[in-house]
Amino acid sequence: MVIKVFRTPIAVTRKGWISNLLHKPKKRKVTMVIVHHTYKPDLAMWKANPKTDLEKGAYFWKVIDRFHRSKGWNGIGYHGLITPDGLIWLGRDINEVGAHTQGKNGTSIGLCLLGNFDIEYPTSEQWATLKWALAATIYAYKLTVNDIHFHREFANKSCPGFHIQLTTLREAVERTLKDAIPIFRQLGG
């Protein structure tokens, strides 16, 4: 018998993601963070949706969750989905194995940006949240910026899109860490 766990979409701010990482006991060894993009839905679909940002975030989270379930997975495969407004929608619990990168799920955290970054660029809010979320994740798991990877390194895909460069992202996270570490320590990490 397969037990399906149904989750409710929950959005957190950067501080919520950081707090979750710093205060939750680590029950599995994480050696990397893998960045993704949704491809579809993309930013044009986000902008065309007449709902509020919170309603859109919950709606697109559910779309992705249903798509992942249709593949036979136990719900959304990412640990976090970053929407264009900069919120992080919680996916799998950080102690739960993801379903986002074949062969790497057991030892990674998967963060996904909503959008198609082969033809679009992340919003400034997404970029800021991604940098802070990655900084917090590598800090919490005692990793380095070199432990940040793209899905395309492990699969024949463009993910997270060719408009995002790994070196640029790692450098941005390194700069963010300089400001973030005192904040993380203040928050109890």
Side-chain angles (χ1 to χ4, degrees):
M1 176 166 93
V2 176
I3 297 173
K4 296 280 185 180
V5 178
F6 290 93
R7 297 176 183 88
T8 301
I10 299 172
V12 296
T13 61
R14 288 177 227 158
K15 188 174 180 181
W17 178 261
I18 293 164
S19 181
N20 184 42
L21 284 169
L22 296 180
H23 297 291
K24 191 166 229 170
K26 311 299 182 283
K27 295 182 180 174
R28 66 187 184 99
K29 182 160 178 56
V30 170
T31 61
M32 68 180 75
V33 186
I34 302 174
V35 180
H36 302 263
H37 71 157
T38 57
Y39 184 74
K40 293 287 181 192
D42 59 20
L43 295 181
M45 294 168 86
W46 175 270
K47 291 174 188 168
N49 189 310
K51 299 176 181 187
T52 67
D53 284 354
L54 274 177
E55 291 170 328
K56 287 190 268 194
Y59 170 77
F60 286 120
W61 184 97
K62 288 176 184 176
V63 166
I64 295 164
D65 185 60
R66 272 194 307 271
F67 174 65
H68 286 185
R69 286 180 190 285
S70 76
K71 294 178 156 208
W73 303 349
N74 190 16
I76 194 165
Y78 311 114
H79 295 92
L81 171 69
I82 302 173
T83 49
D85 58 359
L87 287 177
I88 304 173
W89 291 82
L90 300 179
R92 298 212 176 180
D93 184 88
I94 59 170
N95 287 314
E96 197 177 335
V97 173
H100 54 86
T101 306
Q102 189 172 15
K104 303 295 179 184
N105 291 320
T107 58
S108 66
I109 296 287
L111 288 175
C112 184
L113 295 163
L114 188 144
N116 177 358
F117 304 114
D118 286 331
I119 61 170
E120 307 167 308
Y121 291 90
T123 66
S124 58
E125 293 90 350
Q126 276 181 305
W127 186 250
T129 296
L130 178 62
K131 291 185 304 183
W132 276 87
L134 288 169
T137 305
I138 65 175
Y139 177 81
Y141 286 98
K142 297 176 177 40
L143 306 174
T144 72
V145 293
N146 291 324
D147 298 313
I148 298 169
H149 295 278
F150 284 176
H151 187 202
R152 67 177 170 245
E153 294 176 65
F154 308 109
N156 188 22
K157 299 176 179 280
S158 64
C159 188
F162 293 119
H163 285 159
I164 303 176
Q165 297 303 312
L166 185 56
T167 302
T168 303
L169 180 59
R170 285 178 174 169
E171 289 169 355
V173 172
E174 188 74 55
R175 287 190 301 274
T176 301
L177 268 172
K178 287 179 176 53
D179 296 330
I181 288 175
I183 296 166
F184 298 159
R185 288 185 179 140
Q186 202 173 29
L187 291 171

